[in-house]
Amino acid sequence: MADDIAAPGPPLAVAMRGIVKRFPGVVANDGVDFDLRVGEVHALLGENGAGKSTLMNVLGGLYRPDAGEVAVFGERVDFHSPRDAIAAGLGMVHQHFALVPTQTVTENVLIGLDRPRFRIDLARFDDEIADLARRHGLALDPRARIWQLSVGEQQRVEILKFLYRGARVLILDEPTAVLAPQEADDLFRTLRSMVADGASVVFISHKLAEVSRIADRVTVMRRGRVTAAGIPSAGTTPEGLALLMVGREVLETIERTPFRPGPVVLSVRAVEATGDRGVPALRGVSLDIRSGEILGVAGVAGNGQSELAQIVTGLRPTTAGSVTVNGDDVTNRPPREVIRRHVAHVPEDRTGVGSAPDLSIADNLIMKSYHDAPIARRWAIDTGAVRRFAIGLKERFDIAAPSVDIDARLLSGGNLQRLILAREITSDPSLMVAVQPTRGLDVGAIATVHRLLLAQRESGSATLLISEDLDEVLGLSDRVAVMYEGRIVGIFDAVEADVAAIGLLMTGGSAPSLAEPGSPAELVS
Amino acid sequence: MTAPAPARAPSRVRIALPWSVRLERRLETPRWLPAMTTVGAVVVALLISGVVLALAGGEPIPAFVHIVRASFGSLGVISDTLVKATPLILTGLACALAFRMRLWNIGAEGQFLMGAWGASAVVLIPIVPAGTPSIITIPLMMAAGMLAGGAYGAIPGILKAVRGVNEIIVTLMLNYVAALWIAYWVFGPWSEGGFQLTAQFPREAWLPRLSDFADAIPAFSGLTVHFGFVIALVAAVLVRFLLVRSRLGYEIRLIGDSPRAARYAGIDVARTIVIVFALSGALAGLAGMSEVSGVVHRLQLAISPGYGFTAIIVAYIAKLNPYGVVVASIAFGALILAGREIQPSGIPAMIQGILLFSLIASEVVLRYRVRVTRRVA
Ligand SMILES: Nc1ncnc2c1ncn2[C@@H]1O[C@H](COP(=O)(O)OP(=O)(O)OP(=O)(O)O)[C@@H](O)[C@H]1O
Ligand SMILES: [Mg+2]
């Protein structure tokens, strides 16, 4: 019996007992116990779909458990909404932020509070909020508008919102998935400073290496159950954690066949483009990718990588230069023209661009193939063929969902990424543009995706791989291009690449050995 | 076991009742819920209307019975109800189709008028010589009505696709333009001896009615329901097919859910906006054709008591489902008809209003869960 839930003694910040949460066709949480001590950082690990987000949504007041009890600081609670959870001192930062883009940082922090009574007083709060941010090492301009901020900065605003409301427990769902390594370090410093002030933090992550760095204890979930409860992170290794997560050894050995480049598939010449904020994002980028080659792009987020992927796939106009695919000029051609030339695209923004949240899994899987047989019969869509196609992909790519008819928004983060990968890889691409393809995936799934990308390479397609994970880029690519401020500042043979030199280039330093920055790719290799 | 900690008091309502009622945001919507809330909302609306009737000194039950009798009581009135439902179905489908893509076409009224004008033009210009048989005249009128309505619908579509102009404002204003356009023709070139209406169409331009077959089947005598109703039902089936079984329908649903994902999928969003607006306008135009050819038999100023606006409500109540549009249109047709019979005639209008309000309110039930909890002392 869960007697101890409201027991006296040194109170736990959070105690969850026997939490059960069912969804149609799945038991997302199957009797989960979870403890968060005051003043600790507690990492929550588990495979995609293990039930981590669900458990934290129960804690954050978004879901009501079907069974089980929750106590916060020794007091039993029964949250009906996130508002209740906030009132009890709990703040949850989701992967998708709930900020108002046109308003300032201060306005967003104050949203939903009674203060200030009048807008006119707003300026007074700027200082207060800037102060709070500084105390916790959150670099932010309170007057900046949200749309001007990077993802990392927006995340800081979310955290600031809860700090301002005096949250004593902060829940972060995969906070580092969208952060550059540097930003992740800043976040960890902030979390440490909060914990030093007596706050407690739950932290969901798939990055095992960072878990032992930042977390005091670790809880591992698998298929809705806890497989390791609150073990001290000091003694853990990434391999050991992976074993607990998937129940078997995960060996990520990237085996690459020798590089046998074929003809040039993608050729980008002196391309310039403007970014979302109206400033130049690409300033004369040139590169070639050959059949059977993976070109990795390394760089700190926001240096033009996203825009590079967009100009190749026709989603962003270029202001100068040219893009050709298999010899066809596709510069500023509509996306459909590019897709028809067998260009697949795993986009960075999986909920906004890569999927339609309120359409079914099946509808999402046919996004790139609904034009052609067997899905389409002239202007009609063969619903039977759609189902067969979708069920086939769901099984082949191990997408965890009760059926292909449920809405895509109900998929766990990692399973949605699998859906997108399944769709793009099966489109039999001659060029694959993969942006952060393993973001949010568990270790097992990452290994699978890496294998799939390498299989693509072997079957002769060209791959433009954009990733903030330098290890991933170096491990998979034949050549590595480094981007900085909209330019390619260096291209290396991945085998001989000097990590230190790349790191320097990524942050704007110069590598002495480099002859001609920004020169076309074929100079190397 | 230690005593259970007191449940945290709800944040706002603090009335000392043994029960507390709260709204919780729903994250999961059961499949049966949308249909159930619609039925529930109708029941609630009838209850409220009954109370209002009773307060006004009326007798609710007899009043309802009367309404039902006035619209479904005999073959004759059922037929009249269907006549009223016909333009609502077609304009309702026009709205439902556009709304699926989150194109807010509130110009069905104007497109209806243009369709009526286009159909009239076939016999009034005339495009076909007098005496052309129905089998040629009617399809031509249908085509002309759809063409006129479709072209008129395409205008806001093109403006939105090319320039990003807000379609709500454009469609709303075009309704007035269309009304003036009709006025010009019925006052001017097509005026019948100075009256504000055109000459009656020749018989060949009339959609057949059931009463036309009274010679063969006596029971049909006096039944005014015309072929337009069949056209409307066929249109509903086609729109449904279009939405769930066609490539265009898939594109409409995808754009409606996420325009960015649609662009990523290679869909030409601008082109689809124009196509859907034109289709929507064509459906509304067909309604106009069916009305002049099936009911009025001439063009005149007052050919629509606001069908194109009621259509918005119909589409909304039907939750944008084509078959739902048919059902909702028949219900509204009945209320319109009853409005002529019942005194005071405002009663059906009131019921219509209450129905709309309770349906909108029922959305809350879809999005939130109402939870009644017993307070722990
Ligand atoms: N609202 C919902 N309706 C139906 N099923 C859901 C819902 N939310 C989650 N699920 C299902 O519950 C399971 C657990 O999902 P959850 O989001 O908790 O996983 P997770 O551990 O956070 O995974 P990931 O690492 O991929 O984010 C999944 O199978 C998911 O599809
Ligand atoms: Mg998750």
Side-chain angles (χ1 to χ4, degrees), chain B residues 7 161 171 195 249:
Chain B
T171 51
F195 290 103

Side-chain angles (χ1 to χ4, degrees), chain A residues 53 173-174 413:
Chain A
S53 299
D173 194 349
E174 295 190 41

Side-chain angles (χ1 to χ4, degrees), chain A residues 34 36 40-46 52 56 59 91 93 155 159 169-177 179 184-185 187-189 191-192 195 200-219:
Chain A
F34 180 77
L36 177 67
E40 76 168 342
V41 176
H42 196 137
L44 188 54
L45 299 183
K52 307 177 295 292
M56 288 303 118
L59 182 57
V93 179
Q155 190 176 66
I159 295 173
V169 175
L170 194 63
I171 306 163
L172 300 157
D173 194 349
E174 295 190 41
T176 56
L179 298 185
D185 287 343
L187 172 68
F188 294 156
R189 255 194 298 282
L191 296 185
R192 276 286 152 219
V195 167
S200 321
V201 175
V202 188
F203 174 94
I204 301 179
S205 178
H206 288 294
K207 300 184 181 171
L208 303 179
E210 72 190 16
V211 165
S212 40
R213 268 180 56 211
I214 176 71
D216 300 304
R217 292 195 303 151
V218 183
T219 290

Side-chain angles (χ1 to χ4, degrees), chain A residues 218-288:
Chain A
V218 183
T219 290
V220 183
M221 289 181 70
R222 179 145 56 96
R223 296 192 192 155
R225 294 167 168 274
V226 171
T227 52
I231 52 175
S233 71
T236 63
T237 59
E239 293 76 25
L241 292 173
L243 183 64
L244 286 170
M245 275 171 60
V246 285
R248 63 185 154 79
E249 208 94 21
V250 180
L251 291 177
E252 159 87 280
T253 46
I254 296 180
E255 278 182 35
R256 290 154 34 96
T257 51
F259 181 32
R260 277 178 281 114
V264 171
V265 174
L266 172 72
S267 173
V268 175
R269 282 284 165 279
V271 160
E272 292 174 22
T274 311
D276 281 338
R277 298 170 206 179
V279 292
L282 296 178
R283 314 166 186 235
V285 170
S286 297
L287 53 84
D288 281 337

